[in-house]
């Protein structure tokens, strides 16, 4: 896929100055959009149902709360190698679990203890033995199975994305600051309506927004900054510096949207996001992945 030929790049060329359009296109990142599989299309991922696990793998449990719900899995071998800008495994399956509790038992936005216990990423290498469907633990209702295929798309940074703020925001500001925000640099476009219409149309055409890699699509503020808070909470100088450094390395592994077909409703039409340091992904240290979720 040539990002420079994507609808998002074309929107930049149409509504930004030539210099800003070039910068904008440089900020776009490839993502792998997961959509419902049609006849004759390859199976890339699936939502819900019974996960495929090795015989010696235990179903993930949050101690003191209960078993996690299986959310999604995708086949790394089906994602075109070298087409994403994150170092995914070339083969094997990645499975994602989430404690779908309510009230005090729900996974919280920025509670590190909850994130460590209430979510899990399991990597099943292609060499694993005795891999078979695993029955959902008693008392836990599985989500309905939805089969997904995929396609490469361009993805855009949101208004609070540190790279976007650094490119188009106040030069004296801190792009990593929690509340730093910048408008897209439209020109000759009243209130940016034409650009936002193009952005909205592109996003509508790729909904639900299940995605591997690329920029996250937030519901309520920067996903990356929320995830950085989960890893380095606190308002002291050391925590802020740690988050600033982390944002340079943190990449989105997968986002799972609310999806009526799978009876998945994360808050009010919310999304789940798993993120990881680039070097941890390359080392296959998926236990170091972090998580956040957002809803409107």
């Amino acid at each position: 896929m040539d990002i420079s030929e994507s609808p998002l790049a074309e929107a930049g060329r149409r509504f930004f100055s030539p210099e800003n359009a070039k910068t904008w296109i440089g900020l776009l990142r490839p993502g792998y959009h997961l959509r419902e599989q049609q006849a004759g299309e390859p199976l890339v991922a699936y939502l819900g149902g019974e996960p495929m696990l090795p015989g010696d793998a235990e179903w993930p449990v949050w101690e003191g709360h209960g078993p996690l719900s299986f959310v999604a899995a995708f086949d790394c071998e089906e994602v075109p190698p070298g087409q994403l800008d994150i170092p995914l495994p070339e083969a094997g399956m990645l499975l994602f679990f989430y404690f779908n509790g309510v009230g005090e038992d729900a996974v919280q936005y920025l509670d590190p203890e909850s994130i460590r216990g209430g979510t899990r990423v399991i990597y099943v290498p292609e060499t694993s033995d005795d891999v078979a469907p695993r029955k959902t633990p008693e008392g836990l209702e599985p989500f309905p199975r939805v089969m997904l295929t995929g396609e490469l798309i361009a993805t855009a940074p949101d208004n609070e994305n540190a790279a976007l703020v650094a490119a188009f925001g106040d030069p004296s500001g801190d792009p990593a600051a929690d509340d730093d925000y910048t408008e897209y640099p439209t020109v000759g476009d009243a209130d940016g309506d034409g650009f936002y219409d193009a952005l909205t149309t592109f996003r509508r055409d790729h909904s639900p927004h299940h995605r591997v890699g690329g920029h996250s699509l937030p519901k309520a503020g920067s996903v990356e900054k929320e995830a950085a808070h989960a890893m380095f909470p606190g308002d002291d100088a050391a925590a802020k510096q740690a988050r600033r450094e982390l944002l340079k390395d943190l990449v989105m592994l997968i986002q799972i949207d609310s999806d009526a077909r799978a009876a998945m409703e994360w808050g009010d039409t919310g999304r789940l996001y798993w993120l990881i340091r680039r070097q941890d992904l390359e080392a296959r240290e998926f236990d170091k992945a972090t998580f956040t979720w957002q809803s409107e």
Side-chain angles (χ1 to χ4, degrees):
M1 181 192 66
D2 186 352
I3 282 182
S4 66
E5 299 301 319
S6 69
L8 294 179
E10 178 56 34
R13 283 189 289 266
R14 182 177 178 187
F15 295 107
F16 297 172
S17 70
E19 181 180 357
N20 284 342
K22 183 178 180 179
T23 301
W24 165 254
I25 293 170
L27 292 173
L28 301 178
R29 293 180 54 206
Y32 205 65
H33 171 62
L34 302 174
R35 59 174 175 79
E36 190 167 16
Q37 181 192 30
Q38 303 298 321
E41 293 181 323
L43 177 64
V44 173
Y46 55 91
L47 304 175
E50 295 181 343
M52 299 290 291
L53 287 171
D56 60 354
E58 296 183 358
W59 189 284
V61 173
W62 185 9
E63 187 176 352
H65 297 268
L68 278 57
S69 293
F70 169 66
V71 175
F74 74 85
D75 187 345
C76 299
E77 192 172 7
E78 291 296 333
V79 179
Q83 296 299 303
L84 296 184
D85 59 359
I86 59 174
L88 285 175
E90 294 182 357
M93 298 289 294
L94 279 169
L95 292 82
F96 300 86
F97 294 79
Y98 168 76
F99 187 81
N100 192 34
V102 295
E104 293 183 356
D105 277 338
V107 173
Q108 301 300 309
Y109 287 93
L110 298 174
D111 181 342
E113 182 179 352
S114 296
I115 289 170
R116 283 193 297 270
T119 71
R120 206 71 49 84
V121 180
I122 296 178
Y123 176 51
V124 181
E126 73 279 14
T127 55
S128 298
D129 296 326
D130 195 25
V131 176
R134 181 67 59 85
K135 186 177 180 180
T136 303
E138 186 176 352
L140 190 64
E141 185 70 25
F143 293 109
R145 172 63 55 87
V146 176
M147 300 297 198
L148 303 173
T149 192
E151 59 187 348
L152 285 164
I153 62 170
T155 67
D158 64 272
N159 298 88
E160 293 184 15
N161 178 276
L164 183 88
V165 174
F168 298 123
D170 184 350
S172 64
D174 179 5
D178 297 338
D179 57 353
D180 224 333
Y181 174 98
T182 190
E183 295 287 349
Y184 294 117
T186 55
V187 293
D189 178 18
D191 299 322
D193 287 349
F195 175 75
Y196 280 100
D197 286 347
L199 204 58
T200 299
T201 297
F202 179 80
R203 289 171 176 171
R204 184 183 62 235
D205 291 344
H206 295 87
S207 178
H209 299 283
H210 308 308
R211 181 183 302 170
V212 176
H215 288 291
S216 59
L217 183 58
K219 299 288 288 188
S222 170
V223 170
E224 288 75 17
K225 291 176 182 178
E226 275 195 7
H229 262 284
M231 297 181 75
F232 296 106
D235 293 323
D236 58 282
K240 290 180 179 179
Q241 181 59 30
R243 291 196 293 269
R244 187 175 294 108
E245 293 300 319
L246 176 61
L247 287 173
K248 300 174 184 178
D249 300 321
L250 198 62
V251 295
M252 189 184 72
L253 188 52
I254 195 170
Q255 70 178 30
I256 300 296
D257 210 346
S258 292
D259 193 326
R261 299 167 302 180
M264 292 180 178
E265 183 70 20
W266 315 120
D268 184 5
T269 65
R271 297 188 186 109
L272 309 182
Y273 308 87
W274 278 268
L275 301 98
I276 190 169
R277 287 185 178 96
R278 186 177 294 272
Q279 58 266 36
D280 294 335
L281 175 55
E282 193 165 15
R284 312 301 180 232
E285 295 179 340
F286 293 102
D287 59 319
K288 294 182 179 179
T290 188
F291 170 89
T292 190
W293 66 276
Q294 294 183 349
S295 67
E296 294 181 343

mmCIF file of all heavy atoms in Angstrom, residues 14-55:
data_model
loop_
_atom_site.group_PDB
_atom_site.id
_atom_site.type_symbol
_atom_site.label_atom_id
_atom_site.label_comp_id
_atom_site.label_asym_id
_atom_site.label_seq_id
_atom_site.Cartn_x
_atom_site.Cartn_y
_atom_site.Cartn_z
ATOM 1 N N ARG A 14 -5.522 18.330 -0.446
ATOM 2 C CA ARG A 14 -6.634 19.187 -0.864
ATOM 3 C C ARG A 14 -6.853 20.355 0.089
ATOM 4 O O ARG A 14 -7.172 21.468 -0.350
ATOM 5 C CB ARG A 14 -7.908 18.347 -0.974
ATOM 6 C CG ARG A 14 -9.120 19.124 -1.455
ATOM 7 C CD ARG A 14 -10.323 18.224 -1.601
ATOM 8 N NE ARG A 14 -11.491 18.981 -2.024
ATOM 9 C CZ ARG A 14 -12.722 18.470 -2.107
ATOM 10 N NH1 ARG A 14 -12.930 17.188 -1.800
ATOM 11 N NH2 ARG A 14 -13.727 19.227 -2.479
ATOM 12 N N PHE A 15 -6.671 20.114 1.385
ATOM 13 C CA PHE A 15 -7.091 21.122 2.365
ATOM 14 C C PHE A 15 -5.947 21.754 3.151
ATOM 15 O O PHE A 15 -6.171 22.695 3.911
ATOM 16 C CB PHE A 15 -8.096 20.503 3.342
ATOM 17 C CG PHE A 15 -9.380 20.087 2.703
ATOM 18 C CD1 PHE A 15 -9.672 18.738 2.515
ATOM 19 C CD2 PHE A 15 -10.298 21.015 2.249
ATOM 20 C CE1 PHE A 15 -10.857 18.333 1.917
ATOM 21 C CE2 PHE A 15 -11.481 20.630 1.637
ATOM 22 C CZ PHE A 15 -11.761 19.284 1.470
ATOM 23 N N PHE A 16 -4.706 21.260 2.993
ATOM 24 C CA PHE A 16 -3.565 21.840 3.688
ATOM 25 C C PHE A 16 -2.683 22.594 2.690
ATOM 26 O O PHE A 16 -2.791 22.403 1.475
ATOM 27 C CB PHE A 16 -2.710 20.750 4.352
ATOM 28 C CG PHE A 16 -3.408 19.958 5.431
ATOM 29 C CD1 PHE A 16 -2.787 18.849 5.983
ATOM 30 C CD2 PHE A 16 -4.673 20.287 5.899
ATOM 31 C CE1 PHE A 16 -3.396 18.094 6.983
ATOM 32 C CE2 PHE A 16 -5.299 19.546 6.892
ATOM 33 C CZ PHE A 16 -4.662 18.445 7.434
ATOM 34 N N SER A 17 -1.790 23.409 3.215
ATOM 35 C CA SER A 17 -0.780 24.017 2.356
ATOM 36 C C SER A 17 0.142 22.914 1.844
ATOM 37 O O SER A 17 0.227 21.836 2.454
ATOM 38 C CB SER A 17 0.032 25.046 3.146
ATOM 39 O OG SER A 17 0.855 24.390 4.109
ATOM 40 N N PRO A 18 0.838 23.128 0.728
ATOM 41 C CA PRO A 18 1.745 22.083 0.219
ATOM 42 C C PRO A 18 2.756 21.614 1.266
ATOM 43 O O PRO A 18 3.030 20.411 1.372
ATOM 44 C CB PRO A 18 2.423 22.762 -0.964
ATOM 45 C CG PRO A 18 1.415 23.757 -1.445
ATOM 46 C CD PRO A 18 0.736 24.267 -0.205
ATOM 47 N N GLU A 19 3.320 22.542 2.033
ATOM 48 C CA GLU A 19 4.300 22.159 3.045
ATOM 49 C C GLU A 19 3.656 21.328 4.150
ATOM 50 O O GLU A 19 4.190 20.295 4.574
ATOM 51 C CB GLU A 19 4.944 23.409 3.648
ATOM 52 C CG GLU A 19 5.992 23.099 4.707
ATOM 53 C CD GLU A 19 6.618 24.343 5.291
ATOM 54 O OE1 GLU A 19 6.269 25.460 4.835
ATOM 55 O OE2 GLU A 19 7.451 24.208 6.210
ATOM 56 N N ASN A 20 2.477 21.772 4.628
ATOM 57 C CA ASN A 20 1.786 21.027 5.687
ATOM 58 C C ASN A 20 1.262 19.684 5.185
ATOM 59 O O ASN A 20 1.218 18.710 5.939
ATOM 60 C CB ASN A 20 0.646 21.857 6.260
ATOM 61 C CG ASN A 20 1.132 22.953 7.185
ATOM 62 O OD1 ASN A 20 2.260 22.909 7.664
ATOM 63 N ND2 ASN A 20 0.296 23.950 7.432
ATOM 64 N N ALA A 21 0.869 19.636 3.916
ATOM 65 C CA ALA A 21 0.400 18.365 3.357
ATOM 66 C C ALA A 21 1.525 17.341 3.358
ATOM 67 O O ALA A 21 1.312 16.163 3.688
ATOM 68 C CB ALA A 21 -0.124 18.576 1.942
ATOM 69 N N LYS A 22 2.717 17.772 3.022
ATOM 70 C CA LYS A 22 3.863 16.864 3.029
ATOM 71 C C LYS A 22 4.135 16.352 4.437
ATOM 72 O O LYS A 22 4.382 15.149 4.644
ATOM 73 C CB LYS A 22 5.093 17.576 2.473
ATOM 74 C CG LYS A 22 6.329 16.698 2.379
ATOM 75 C CD LYS A 22 7.492 17.451 1.775
ATOM 76 C CE LYS A 22 8.731 16.559 1.689
ATOM 77 N NZ LYS A 22 9.880 17.293 1.082
ATOM 78 N N THR A 23 4.063 17.257 5.420
ATOM 79 C CA THR A 23 4.259 16.851 6.818
ATOM 80 C C THR A 23 3.165 15.890 7.249
ATOM 81 O O THR A 23 3.426 14.876 7.907
ATOM 82 C CB THR A 23 4.276 18.086 7.735
ATOM 83 O OG1 THR A 23 5.334 18.955 7.327
ATOM 84 C CG2 THR A 23 4.491 17.686 9.188
ATOM 85 N N TRP A 24 1.919 16.199 6.904
ATOM 86 C CA TRP A 24 0.770 15.366 7.261
ATOM 87 C C TRP A 24 0.920 13.946 6.711
ATOM 88 O O TRP A 24 0.735 12.961 7.431
ATOM 89 C CB TRP A 24 -0.503 16.008 6.725
ATOM 90 C CG TRP A 24 -1.718 15.135 6.680
ATOM 91 C CD1 TRP A 24 -2.292 14.580 5.576
ATOM 92 C CD2 TRP A 24 -2.518 14.721 7.790
ATOM 93 N NE1 TRP A 24 -3.401 13.850 5.913
ATOM 94 C CE2 TRP A 24 -3.569 13.915 7.270
ATOM 95 C CE3 TRP A 24 -2.463 14.946 9.161
ATOM 96 C CZ2 TRP A 24 -4.541 13.336 8.086
ATOM 97 C CZ3 TRP A 24 -3.443 14.368 9.965
ATOM 98 C CH2 TRP A 24 -4.459 13.582 9.433
ATOM 99 N N ILE A 25 1.280 13.838 5.447
ATOM 100 C CA ILE A 25 1.427 12.521 4.829
ATOM 101 C C ILE A 25 2.538 11.735 5.523
ATOM 102 O O ILE A 25 2.448 10.517 5.701
ATOM 103 C CB ILE A 25 1.678 12.663 3.316
ATOM 104 C CG1 ILE A 25 0.435 13.233 2.638
ATOM 105 C CG2 ILE A 25 2.052 11.319 2.692
ATOM 106 C CD1 ILE A 25 0.638 13.650 1.194
ATOM 107 N N GLY A 26 3.578 12.439 5.983
ATOM 108 C CA GLY A 26 4.654 11.780 6.715
ATOM 109 C C GLY A 26 4.225 11.256 8.074
ATOM 110 O O GLY A 26 4.882 10.365 8.630
ATOM 111 N N LEU A 27 3.130 11.791 8.616
ATOM 112 C CA LEU A 27 2.623 11.347 9.916
ATOM 113 C C LEU A 27 1.663 10.161 9.798
ATOM 114 O O LEU A 27 1.364 9.503 10.800
ATOM 115 C CB LEU A 27 1.902 12.499 10.634
ATOM 116 C CG LEU A 27 2.772 13.667 11.100
ATOM 117 C CD1 LEU A 27 1.888 14.794 11.626
ATOM 118 C CD2 LEU A 27 3.761 13.218 12.169
ATOM 119 N N LEU A 28 1.145 9.901 8.598
ATOM 120 C CA LEU A 28 0.232 8.776 8.410
ATOM 121 C C LEU A 28 0.986 7.461 8.609
ATOM 122 O O LEU A 28 2.163 7.348 8.272
ATOM 123 C CB LEU A 28 -0.393 8.819 7.018
ATOM 124 C CG LEU A 28 -1.203 10.067 6.666
ATOM 125 C CD1 LEU A 28 -1.723 9.983 5.232
ATOM 126 C CD2 LEU A 28 -2.361 10.278 7.645
ATOM 127 N N ARG A 29 0.285 6.470 9.148
ATOM 128 C CA ARG A 29 0.917 5.174 9.396
ATOM 129 C C ARG A 29 0.026 4.057 8.852
ATOM 130 O O ARG A 29 -1.209 4.154 8.902
ATOM 131 C CB ARG A 29 1.137 4.950 10.896
ATOM 132 C CG ARG A 29 2.150 5.884 11.533
ATOM 133 C CD ARG A 29 2.283 5.590 13.004
ATOM 134 N NE ARG A 29 2.594 4.173 13.219
ATOM 135 C CZ ARG A 29 2.290 3.500 14.332
ATOM 136 N NH1 ARG A 29 1.646 4.097 15.316
ATOM 137 N NH2 ARG A 29 2.616 2.237 14.444
ATOM 138 N N PRO A 30 0.635 2.967 8.349
ATOM 139 C CA PRO A 30 -0.176 1.847 7.872
ATOM 140 C C PRO A 30 -0.795 1.079 9.030
ATOM 141 O O PRO A 30 -0.167 0.868 10.077
ATOM 142 C CB PRO A 30 0.845 0.980 7.127
ATOM 143 C CG PRO A 30 2.156 1.290 7.794
ATOM 144 C CD PRO A 30 2.081 2.739 8.181
ATOM 145 N N GLY A 31 -2.025 0.691 8.866
ATOM 146 C CA GLY A 31 -2.717 -0.154 9.830
ATOM 147 C C GLY A 31 -3.394 -1.286 9.087
ATOM 148 O O GLY A 31 -3.554 -1.238 7.855
ATOM 149 N N TYR A 32 -3.798 -2.316 9.826
ATOM 150 C CA TYR A 32 -4.477 -3.451 9.199
ATOM 151 C C TYR A 32 -5.895 -3.497 9.740
ATOM 152 O O TYR A 32 -6.136 -3.881 10.889
ATOM 153 C CB TYR A 32 -3.729 -4.752 9.494
ATOM 154 C CG TYR A 32 -3.981 -5.814 8.455
ATOM 155 C CD1 TYR A 32 -3.558 -5.645 7.139
ATOM 156 C CD2 TYR A 32 -4.642 -6.996 8.784
ATOM 157 C CE1 TYR A 32 -3.787 -6.619 6.183
ATOM 158 C CE2 TYR A 32 -4.866 -7.976 7.833
ATOM 159 C CZ TYR A 32 -4.441 -7.779 6.532
ATOM 160 O OH TYR A 32 -4.670 -8.752 5.587
ATOM 161 N N HIS A 33 -6.829 -3.049 8.898
ATOM 162 C CA HIS A 33 -8.238 -2.985 9.271
ATOM 163 C C HIS A 33 -8.862 -4.369 9.202
ATOM 164 O O HIS A 33 -8.754 -5.056 8.167
ATOM 165 C CB HIS A 33 -8.967 -2.022 8.324
ATOM 166 C CG HIS A 33 -10.459 -2.042 8.466
ATOM 167 N ND1 HIS A 33 -11.090 -1.691 9.635
ATOM 168 C CD2 HIS A 33 -11.443 -2.373 7.584
ATOM 169 C CE1 HIS A 33 -12.399 -1.797 9.467
ATOM 170 N NE2 HIS A 33 -12.638 -2.220 8.239
ATOM 171 N N LEU A 34 -9.484 -4.799 10.291
ATOM 172 C CA LEU A 34 -10.137 -6.103 10.351
ATOM 173 C C LEU A 34 -11.624 -5.920 10.119
ATOM 174 O O LEU A 34 -12.299 -5.188 10.853
ATOM 175 C CB LEU A 34 -9.888 -6.751 11.721
ATOM 176 C CG LEU A 34 -8.421 -6.962 12.095
ATOM 177 C CD1 LEU A 34 -8.303 -7.467 13.531
ATOM 178 C CD2 LEU A 34 -7.731 -7.934 11.132
ATOM 179 N N ARG A 35 -12.143 -6.579 9.093
ATOM 180 C CA ARG A 35 -13.569 -6.490 8.766
ATOM 181 C C ARG A 35 -14.137 -7.889 8.583
ATOM 182 O O ARG A 35 -13.396 -8.871 8.474
ATOM 183 C CB ARG A 35 -13.778 -5.656 7.502
ATOM 184 C CG ARG A 35 -13.064 -6.198 6.277
ATOM 185 C CD ARG A 35 -13.426 -5.417 5.031
ATOM 186 N NE ARG A 35 -12.659 -5.849 3.877
ATOM 187 C CZ ARG A 35 -12.905 -6.941 3.152
ATOM 188 N NH1 ARG A 35 -13.928 -7.744 3.487
ATOM 189 N NH2 ARG A 35 -12.161 -7.261 2.105
ATOM 190 N N GLU A 36 -15.458 -7.993 8.536
ATOM 191 C CA GLU A 36 -16.102 -9.298 8.475
ATOM 192 C C GLU A 36 -15.686 -10.054 7.214
ATOM 193 O O GLU A 36 -15.678 -9.511 6.116
ATOM 194 C CB GLU A 36 -17.620 -9.154 8.524
ATOM 195 C CG GLU A 36 -18.341 -10.475 8.703
ATOM 196 C CD GLU A 36 -19.799 -10.303 9.074
ATOM 197 O OE1 GLU A 36 -20.328 -9.189 8.908
ATOM 198 O OE2 GLU A 36 -20.416 -11.282 9.533
ATOM 199 N N GLN A 37 -15.353 -11.316 7.403
ATOM 200 C CA GLN A 37 -14.909 -12.160 6.299
ATOM 201 C C GLN A 37 -16.070 -12.486 5.372
ATOM 202 O O GLN A 37 -17.170 -12.839 5.813
ATOM 203 C CB GLN A 37 -14.303 -13.449 6.854
ATOM 204 C CG GLN A 37 -13.779 -14.399 5.796
ATOM 205 C CD GLN A 37 -13.470 -15.775 6.379
ATOM 206 O OE1 GLN A 37 -14.114 -16.198 7.340
ATOM 207 N NE2 GLN A 37 -12.498 -16.473 5.812
ATOM 208 N N GLN A 38 -15.810 -12.387 4.077
ATOM 209 C CA GLN A 38 -16.775 -12.779 3.055
ATOM 210 C C GLN A 38 -16.278 -14.051 2.363
ATOM 211 O O GLN A 38 -15.112 -14.429 2.493
ATOM 212 C CB GLN A 38 -16.969 -11.654 2.032
ATOM 213 C CG GLN A 38 -17.421 -10.330 2.628
ATOM 214 C CD GLN A 38 -18.771 -10.414 3.320
ATOM 215 O OE1 GLN A 38 -19.681 -11.111 2.831
ATOM 216 N NE2 GLN A 38 -18.915 -9.730 4.456
ATOM 217 N N ALA A 39 -17.162 -14.712 1.640
ATOM 218 C CA ALA A 39 -16.819 -15.965 0.966
ATOM 219 C C ALA A 39 -15.589 -15.773 0.069
ATOM 220 O O ALA A 39 -15.509 -14.814 -0.703
ATOM 221 C CB ALA A 39 -18.005 -16.448 0.131
ATOM 222 N N GLY A 40 -14.636 -16.685 0.202
ATOM 223 C CA GLY A 40 -13.444 -16.650 -0.624
ATOM 224 C C GLY A 40 -12.320 -15.796 -0.076
ATOM 225 O O GLY A 40 -11.215 -15.807 -0.635
ATOM 226 N N GLU A 41 -12.572 -15.069 1.005
ATOM 227 C CA GLU A 41 -11.536 -14.217 1.586
ATOM 228 C C GLU A 41 -10.782 -14.972 2.680
ATOM 229 O O GLU A 41 -11.353 -15.833 3.363
ATOM 230 C CB GLU A 41 -12.146 -12.940 2.165
ATOM 231 C CG GLU A 41 -12.739 -12.023 1.110
ATOM 232 C CD GLU A 41 -13.324 -10.754 1.709
ATOM 233 O OE1 GLU A 41 -13.902 -10.832 2.815
ATOM 234 O OE2 GLU A 41 -13.220 -9.699 1.067
ATOM 235 N N PRO A 42 -9.501 -14.664 2.894
ATOM 236 C CA PRO A 42 -8.732 -15.366 3.926
ATOM 237 C C PRO A 42 -9.206 -15.004 5.322
ATOM 238 O O PRO A 42 -9.640 -13.871 5.576
ATOM 239 C CB PRO A 42 -7.297 -14.886 3.689
ATOM 240 C CG PRO A 42 -7.455 -13.549 3.018
ATOM 241 C CD PRO A 42 -8.684 -13.681 2.157
ATOM 242 N N LEU A 43 -9.129 -15.967 6.224
ATOM 243 C CA LEU A 43 -9.445 -15.714 7.625
ATOM 244 C C LEU A 43 -8.193 -15.150 8.287
ATOM 245 O O LEU A 43 -7.146 -15.801 8.320
ATOM 246 C CB LEU A 43 -9.879 -17.002 8.319
ATOM 247 C CG LEU A 43 -10.161 -16.887 9.821
ATOM 248 C CD1 LEU A 43 -11.350 -15.969 10.072
ATOM 249 C CD2 LEU A 43 -10.405 -18.260 10.427
ATOM 250 N N VAL A 44 -8.300 -13.942 8.809
ATOM 251 C CA VAL A 44 -7.168 -13.258 9.431
ATOM 252 C C VAL A 44 -7.316 -13.216 10.947
ATOM 253 O O VAL A 44 -6.335 -13.343 11.682
ATOM 254 C CB VAL A 44 -7.040 -11.818 8.881
ATOM 255 C CG1 VAL A 44 -5.973 -11.031 9.639
ATOM 256 C CG2 VAL A 44 -6.724 -11.846 7.389
ATOM 257 N N ALA A 45 -8.553 -13.061 11.412
ATOM 258 C CA ALA A 45 -8.783 -12.882 12.843
ATOM 259 C C ALA A 45 -10.203 -13.322 13.170
ATOM 260 O O ALA A 45 -11.010 -13.609 12.280
ATOM 261 C CB ALA A 45 -8.573 -11.415 13.234
ATOM 262 N N TYR A 46 -10.504 -13.393 14.461
ATOM 263 C CA TYR A 46 -11.875 -13.670 14.866
ATOM 264 C C TYR A 46 -12.147 -13.020 16.213
ATOM 265 O O TYR A 46 -11.256 -12.812 17.028
ATOM 266 C CB TYR A 46 -12.179 -15.173 14.901
ATOM 267 C CG TYR A 46 -11.256 -16.022 15.754
ATOM 268 C CD1 TYR A 46 -11.546 -16.265 17.101
ATOM 269 C CD2 TYR A 46 -10.122 -16.619 15.217
ATOM 270 C CE1 TYR A 46 -10.714 -17.069 17.877
ATOM 271 C CE2 TYR A 46 -9.289 -17.427 15.987
ATOM 272 C CZ TYR A 46 -9.593 -17.638 17.316
ATOM 273 O OH TYR A 46 -8.767 -18.427 18.092
ATOM 274 N N LEU A 47 -13.408 -12.671 16.402
ATOM 275 C CA LEU A 47 -13.889 -12.162 17.674
ATOM 276 C C LEU A 47 -14.656 -13.267 18.381
ATOM 277 O O LEU A 47 -15.391 -14.028 17.749
ATOM 278 C CB LEU A 47 -14.830 -10.966 17.463
ATOM 279 C CG LEU A 47 -14.322 -9.765 16.676
ATOM 280 C CD1 LEU A 47 -15.452 -8.746 16.489
ATOM 281 C CD2 LEU A 47 -13.139 -9.120 17.371
ATOM 282 N N GLY A 48 -14.509 -13.343 19.693
ATOM 283 C CA GLY A 48 -15.348 -14.214 20.503
ATOM 284 C C GLY A 48 -15.235 -15.690 20.185
ATOM 285 O O GLY A 48 -14.326 -16.160 19.501
ATOM 286 N N GLY A 49 -16.173 -16.443 20.726
ATOM 287 C CA GLY A 49 -16.169 -17.889 20.583
ATOM 288 C C GLY A 49 -15.142 -18.529 21.509
ATOM 289 O O GLY A 49 -14.755 -17.961 22.533
ATOM 290 N N GLU A 50 -14.685 -19.720 21.136
ATOM 291 C CA GLU A 50 -13.692 -20.443 21.928
ATOM 292 C C GLU A 50 -12.308 -20.197 21.343
ATOM 293 O O GLU A 50 -12.074 -20.458 20.167
ATOM 294 C CB GLU A 50 -14.001 -21.944 21.929
ATOM 295 C CG GLU A 50 -15.316 -22.289 22.612
ATOM 296 C CD GLU A 50 -15.594 -23.782 22.613
ATOM 297 O OE1 GLU A 50 -14.953 -24.509 21.819
ATOM 298 O OE2 GLU A 50 -16.450 -24.221 23.403
ATOM 299 N N PRO A 51 -11.359 -19.722 22.136
ATOM 300 C CA PRO A 51 -10.020 -19.444 21.622
ATOM 301 C C PRO A 51 -9.240 -20.731 21.369
ATOM 302 O O PRO A 51 -9.459 -21.751 22.019
ATOM 303 C CB PRO A 51 -9.380 -18.634 22.748
ATOM 304 C CG PRO A 51 -10.067 -19.123 23.987
ATOM 305 C CD PRO A 51 -11.480 -19.404 23.570
ATOM 306 N N MET A 52 -8.307 -20.667 20.444
ATOM 307 C CA MET A 52 -7.408 -21.784 20.171
ATOM 308 C C MET A 52 -6.191 -21.653 21.080
ATOM 309 O O MET A 52 -5.403 -20.707 20.946
ATOM 310 C CB MET A 52 -6.976 -21.775 18.706
ATOM 311 C CG MET A 52 -8.119 -21.910 17.715
ATOM 312 S SD MET A 52 -8.854 -23.570 17.729
ATOM 313 C CE MET A 52 -7.506 -24.512 17.004
ATOM 314 N N LEU A 53 -6.031 -22.608 22.019
ATOM 315 C CA LEU A 53 -4.953 -22.536 22.991
ATOM 316 C C LEU A 53 -4.195 -23.870 23.067
ATOM 317 O O LEU A 53 -4.795 -24.934 22.870
ATOM 318 C CB LEU A 53 -5.506 -22.201 24.380
ATOM 319 C CG LEU A 53 -5.998 -20.768 24.622
ATOM 320 C CD1 LEU A 53 -6.709 -20.671 25.959
ATOM 321 C CD2 LEU A 53 -4.830 -19.794 24.556
ATOM 322 N N PRO A 54 -2.898 -23.814 23.369
ATOM 323 C CA PRO A 54 -2.161 -25.063 23.602
ATOM 324 C C PRO A 54 -2.704 -25.784 24.825
ATOM 325 O O PRO A 54 -3.275 -25.158 25.739
ATOM 326 C CB PRO A 54 -0.724 -24.579 23.851
ATOM 327 C CG PRO A 54 -0.666 -23.200 23.296
ATOM 328 C CD PRO A 54 -2.045 -22.633 23.447
ATOM 329 N N GLY A 55 -2.520 -27.093 24.855
ATOM 330 C CA GLY A 55 -3.062 -27.890 25.951
ATOM 331 C C GLY A 55 -2.522 -27.507 27.307
ATOM 332 O O GLY A 55 -3.210 -27.654 28.329
#
